[in-house]
Amino acid sequence: MDLKENFRPFVICAALVVWFSLALQFRVSLQLLNNDYPATLKVFLSYFTVITNIIVAICFTRLSFIKRAEARSLFTQASTLTAITIYIVVVGLIYNIALRGLASPVGWARLADELLHVISPLIVLFFWIFFVKKSTLQYRQAITWLAYPLLYVIFIVVRGYLINKYPYPFIDVVQLGYPKAILNAIVILFIFWLLSLLLILISKKTVKV
């Protein structure tokens, strides 16, 4: 198990926070779409932020009940936990650098927004720094970790082609055209890769110290 001792209280609290964030965001989205559950679910699950936070919530929930006999299960491996950390940290970076200010949510919507884009990334990063054993990480894994964001980009492009709607402005083919949208997607994938290399470098420096 690539986890340090006494991680369980933290992951239990983290799971509760992230599940609450998702439930709150779904409720806000549901109200905006006049309580249309199917339509809300379709929109809700089109966002990388939401899908990634669901992965985070599932991960923390699984770790809350993990047994020592399951030491080599998916969510106890440093590679998996590092990949999840990268995904959610990129969510926070892109939102706060490129998307914050495009909308001005208030009330519960503002709380959900901050929880999913700021608090959740910070929680996961804190968990990675203080509870994950990182000695097994290798630079070649950075390419493997690109699979999820790449699949998401393909999903969004195909979905957008079919329904003519895109969840994020930087990949909106209707407004930008395919060349610009694809270039933006490549840049974002490059950010994922660079962050992966950075975390692996940090892990190796930490191990040496």
Side-chain angles (χ1 to χ4, degrees):
M1 182 181 291
D2 294 331
L3 290 167
K4 298 177 183 178
E5 297 294 332
N6 303 319
F7 68 88
R8 203 176 306 275
F10 182 89
V11 297
I12 291 172
C13 293
L16 292 173
V17 170
V18 181
W19 281 123
F20 170 76
S21 307
L22 288 164
L24 181 60
Q25 182 60 64
F26 185 80
R27 181 58 184 166
V28 169
S29 300
L30 189 63
Q31 290 177 335
L32 290 174
L33 293 173
N34 301 314
N35 293 317
D36 186 333
Y37 280 87
T40 301
L41 194 60
K42 288 178 183 178
V43 173
F44 191 68
L45 294 177
S46 70
Y47 286 93
F48 188 84
T49 294
V50 169
I51 299 171
T52 305
N53 271 283
I54 289 173
I55 293 172
V56 169
I58 291 171
C59 174
F60 282 145
T61 302
R62 182 73 182 92
L63 290 176
S64 298
F65 299 97
I66 204 77
K67 298 176 182 178
R68 285 291 169 183
E70 302 172 290
R72 298 310 303 170
S73 65
L74 179 65
F75 291 121
T76 64
Q77 297 179 30
S79 176
T80 303
L81 296 170
T82 304
I84 292 173
T85 302
I86 291 159
Y87 303 148
I88 195 66
V89 168
V90 171
V91 165
L93 288 174
I94 291 179
Y95 177 80
N96 287 287
I97 292 173
L99 300 178
R100 184 178 286 277
L102 295 182
S104 302
V106 296
W108 292 113
R110 173 66 182 275
L111 177 59
D113 215 42
E114 298 299 332
L115 285 171
L116 292 173
H117 295 101
V118 178
I119 303 303
S120 181
L122 289 176
I123 286 173
V124 178
L125 185 59
F126 182 92
F127 173 73
W128 184 82
I129 291 171
F130 292 103
F131 292 101
V132 178
K133 297 177 182 177
K134 314 168 191 68
S135 59
T136 59
L137 295 178
Q138 301 296 326
Y139 286 109
R140 63 177 179 272
Q141 292 172 311
I143 295 296
T144 305
W145 296 337
L146 291 177
Y148 164 54
L150 179 59
L151 287 173
Y152 175 79
V153 168
I154 294 171
F155 160 67
I156 286 304
V157 169
V158 172
R159 176 182 178 273
Y161 177 79
L162 295 174
I163 68 173
N164 214 34
K165 291 182 180 179
Y166 298 83
Y168 296 107
F170 49 78
I171 200 172
D172 189 336
V173 173
V174 175
Q175 298 296 324
L176 303 175
Y178 277 103
K180 179 63 174 177
I182 291 173
L183 177 60
N184 288 344
I186 292 172
V187 170
I188 291 171
L189 288 172
F190 185 66
I191 292 172
F192 276 103
W193 183 66
L194 284 181
L195 183 59
S196 299
L197 296 179
L198 176 61
L199 291 193
I200 294 170
L201 176 62
I202 290 171
S203 71
K204 291 186 176 297
K205 293 292 185 182
T206 303
V207 170
K208 288 181 180 179
V209 172

